[in-house]
């Protein structure tokens, strides 16, 4: 009798439906076809037995990645970013509308980006659009063209081609987003509350003081007010200020549709530990104090923060070290798509969390928020995006072993728990050797 399945992955530990179980995961074509008990092994052309030290996870879904291609491909590109994602257990990314040139603010620009990405991507890739001054009329066409939502800034984005929205422009954009049932992502800082006079060259304390929590909190209040007034869906990217959590909790209790993410670097590092001149740790909003970090962990535990994504935001080494360690001059952004899983797991297990929590935060919840219900989970009918993960093995981050384009990382030299041994995309392992053809697809909202 011919085998019914192409492959069965047999694991003593697998994360299925929010629990860790022993299971056989059967794959037919590109999808999960069966899930059976460990000792009930269905017939398959090929059976893979995971090691006793390995846990089978769903592929992670990282909805906050800056690929930067076209236009700033020397910073990062689709080939390098998606290889780094695969090496880190990420099987789906959604690309931010900046810092590419042109930014993804029109359908024409979206088509350009898709054209460049086609044939380069090692994992599946979706796209965000951008909301900038004077492009309200472009939001519905972008939505129809399949972007997963649009992102805006409420202060200078750092690149001139992606302008910030004023409070009035943001209100107009939110009304349009509500009308078309889109999703508005917001970089939530208010520029008027920044204090550049606090900058103090290589001293991190000055940079931190220049971007206070109040700037973040005020912007989040504006987003909540507009989501409440319009009925539109909003999402706060890269939450850094734990002071905003009670406001977000109250808004959601009132039925306001606003979600929030944080990032591995805010859960890993603390301001008190940032050395003078260590601009590889510069990001906006900034890494804050240790007590703030622990409050973010508490908010994740309570469900007040929905998920964790990388905000992978790379640049060239020269830009990162611009000014010779001057936090005011260096480019802000942390490249972390390859180490996010290990970083979060390292912090999570030390605070009593399980791998089931990490999978919810980094796979299922981000997939659900953007409408990718067939990603980020091990269940029948889902894409067979899978990861062989060794939670108890440690490694030291070596920038030379990272696949993103430029050899700079905030995690360099850091000891982390958890090693990705293999990543599968839609039913087959991803091979990262030279000459292996990329198999990633370009995704559209609402289209499987």
């Amino acid at each position: 009798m011919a085998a019914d399945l192409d492959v069965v992955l047999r694991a003593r530990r697998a994360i299925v439906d929010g629990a860790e179980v022993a299971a056989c995961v059967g794959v037919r074509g590109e999808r999960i076809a069966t899930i059976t008990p460990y000792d009930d092994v269905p017939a398959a052309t090929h059976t893979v037995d995971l090691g006793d030290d390995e846990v089978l996870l769903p592929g992670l879904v990282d909805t906050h990645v800056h690929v930067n291609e076209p236009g700033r491909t020397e910073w990062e590109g689709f080939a390098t970013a998606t290889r780094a994602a695969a090496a880190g257990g990420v099987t789906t990314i959604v690309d931010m509308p900046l810092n590419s040139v042109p930014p993804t603010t029109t359908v024409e620009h979206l088509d350009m980006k898709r054209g460049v990405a086609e044939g380069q991507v090692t994992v599946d890739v979706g796209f965000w659009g951008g909301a900038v001054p004077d492009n309200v009329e472009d939001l519905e066409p972008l939505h129809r063209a399949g972007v997963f939502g649009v992102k805006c800034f409420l202060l200078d984005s750092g690149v001139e081609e992606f302008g910030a929205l004023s409070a009035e422009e943001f209100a107009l954009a939110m009304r349009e987003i509500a009308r078309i049932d889109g999703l508005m992502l917001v970089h939530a800082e208010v520029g008027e509350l920044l204090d550049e006079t606090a900058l103090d060259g290589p001293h991190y304390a000055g940079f931190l003081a220049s971007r206070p929590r109040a700037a973040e909190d005020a912007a989040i209040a504006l987003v909540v007010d507009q989501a409440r007034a319009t009925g539109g869906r909003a999402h706060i990217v890269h939450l850094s200020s734990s002071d905003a959590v009670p406001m977000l909790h109250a808004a959601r209790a009132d039925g306001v549709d606003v979600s929030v993410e944080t990032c591995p670097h805010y859960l890993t590092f603390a301001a008190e530990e940032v050395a003078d001149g260590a601009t590889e740790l510069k990001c906006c909003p900034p890494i804050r104090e240790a007590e703030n970090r622990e409050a973010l962990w508490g908010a994740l535990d309570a469900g007040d923060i929905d998920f964790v994504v990388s905000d992978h935001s790379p640049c060239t080494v020269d830009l990162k070290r611009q000014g010779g360690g001057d936090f005011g001059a260096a480019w802000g952004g942390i490249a972390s798509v390859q180490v996010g899983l290990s970083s979060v797991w390292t912090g999570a297990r030390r605070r009593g969390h399980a791998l089931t929590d990490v999978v919810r935060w980094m796979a299922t919840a981000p997939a659900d928020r953007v409408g990718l219900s067939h990603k980020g989970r091990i269940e029948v009918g889902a894409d067979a995006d899978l990861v062989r993960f060794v939670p108890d093995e440690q490694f030291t981050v070596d920038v030379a072993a990272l696949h993103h384009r430029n050899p700079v990382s905030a995690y360099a030299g850091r000891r982390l728990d958890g090693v990705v041994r293999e990543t599968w995309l839609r039913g087959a392992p991803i091979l990262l050797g030279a000459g292996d053809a990329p198999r990633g697809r370009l995704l559209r909202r609402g289209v499987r």
Side-chain angles (χ1 to χ4, degrees):
M1 180 182 295
D4 181 54
L5 300 170
D6 297 319
V7 64
V8 167
L9 291 92
R10 192 167 180 245
R12 294 189 183 277
R13 300 174 65 189
I15 306 303
V16 179
D17 196 24
E20 185 177 304
V21 299
C24 293
V25 178
V27 177
R28 185 184 303 114
E30 298 186 340
R31 299 181 185 179
I32 296 170
T34 63
I35 301 174
T36 59
Y38 181 79
D39 292 325
D40 182 8
V41 187
T45 302
H46 183 48
T47 299
V48 175
D49 282 292
L50 271 68
D52 289 345
D53 61 342
E54 296 177 335
V55 184
L56 188 65
L57 310 182
L60 304 191
V61 177
D62 191 339
T63 56
H64 195 147
V65 176
H66 293 266
V67 176
N68 306 335
E69 187 177 11
R72 291 192 174 93
T73 310
E74 70 275 14
W75 294 18
E76 186 63 289
F78 284 104
T80 47
T82 59
R83 286 172 66 85
V90 177
T91 51
T92 304
I93 68 169
V94 186
D95 170 63
M96 282 292 167
L98 75 164
N99 299 302
S100 58
V101 181
T104 318
T105 52
T106 68
V107 172
E108 179 185 6
H109 294 171
L110 173 64
D111 289 343
M112 290 175 63
K113 183 168 281 195
R114 283 176 169 154
V116 169
E118 188 71 52
Q120 287 203 74
V121 296
T122 299
V123 302
D124 289 350
V125 178
F127 300 92
W128 298 111
V132 295
D134 302 320
N135 88 323
V136 169
E137 68 281 359
D138 291 301
L139 301 185
E140 184 176 11
L142 282 165
H143 182 73
R144 290 200 308 267
V147 298
F148 286 85
V150 297
K151 182 184 183 181
C152 73
F153 277 71
L154 300 179
L155 81 172
D156 182 5
S157 71
V159 291
E160 62 181 2
E161 66 276 357
F162 199 94
L165 299 181
S166 67
E168 294 76 16
E169 289 167 330
F170 178 65
L172 287 171
M174 274 300 298
R175 285 202 290 272
E176 179 68 355
I177 288 297
R179 185 185 71 81
I180 63 176
D181 192 27
L183 178 64
M184 175 67 83
L185 279 66
V186 187
H187 180 122
E189 290 180 285
V190 172
E192 290 79 6
L193 294 179
L194 302 189
D195 180 12
E196 292 192 358
T197 66
L199 291 170
D200 189 17
H203 302 298
Y204 187 75
F207 174 65
L208 181 60
S210 76
R211 301 187 88 103
R213 299 188 199 190
E216 212 175 336
D217 302 340
I220 291 171
L222 174 63
V223 175
V224 167
D225 287 346
Q226 284 300 324
R228 189 190 304 273
T230 63
R233 299 188 299 135
H235 177 73
I236 305 298
V237 299
H238 51 48
L239 179 72
S240 163
S241 171
S242 63
D243 290 353
V245 169
M247 174 187 4
L248 288 162
H249 178 91
R252 283 136 65 107
D254 286 345
V256 179
D257 192 343
V258 57
S259 53
V260 59
E261 69 187 45
T262 193
C263 303
H265 40 277
Y266 299 129
L267 299 170
T268 300
F269 302 105
E272 297 92 335
E273 304 164 0
V274 180
D276 288 351
T279 51
E280 63 272 16
L281 285 157
K282 178 182 177 180
C283 57
C284 300
I287 292 164
R288 303 193 189 278
E289 301 83 356
E291 56 84 14
N292 182 85
R293 176 187 63 196
E294 297 311 309
L296 293 176
W297 276 107
L300 263 176
D301 186 38
D304 288 324
I305 295 175
D306 297 279
F307 51 82
V308 182
V309 287
S310 69
D311 188 11
H312 177 74
S313 187
C315 65
T316 62
V317 175
D318 287 348
L319 280 173
K320 200 62 178 161
R321 296 176 181 166
Q322 191 168 257
D326 185 327
F327 278 97
W331 178 260
I334 291 177
S336 62
V337 70
Q338 187 170 338
V339 297
L341 171 58
S342 299
S343 175
V344 173
W345 170 235
T346 300
R349 74 186 311 185
R350 292 175 186 175
R351 292 166 177 84
H353 294 290
L355 274 172
T356 51
D357 299 317
V358 175
V359 165
R360 183 176 69 255
W361 297 332
M362 303 190 76
T364 314
D368 286 348
R369 185 55 168 162
V370 302
L372 290 170
S373 60
H374 58 292
K375 296 285 191 182
R377 68 208 70 220
I378 297 176
E379 68 177 35
V380 172
D383 284 0
D385 299 343
L386 302 163
V387 178
R388 296 170 66 157
F389 185 65
V390 189
D392 297 325
E393 186 173 334
Q394 293 187 322
F395 71 103
T396 300
V397 178
D398 175 6
V399 293
L402 299 178
H403 288 275
H404 67 258
R405 175 148 289 162
N406 288 284
V408 61
S409 171
Y411 293 87
R414 196 169 188 91
R415 192 79 174 162
L416 297 177
D417 296 339
V419 171
V420 173
R421 281 199 181 145
E422 189 174 53
T423 303
W424 288 49
L425 178 69
R426 287 181 280 99
I430 295 173
L431 305 176
L432 293 174
D436 295 326
R439 293 188 297 107
R441 290 180 179 164
L442 306 185
L443 306 175
R444 296 173 185 258
R445 179 192 47 78
V447 178
R448 181 157 184 178

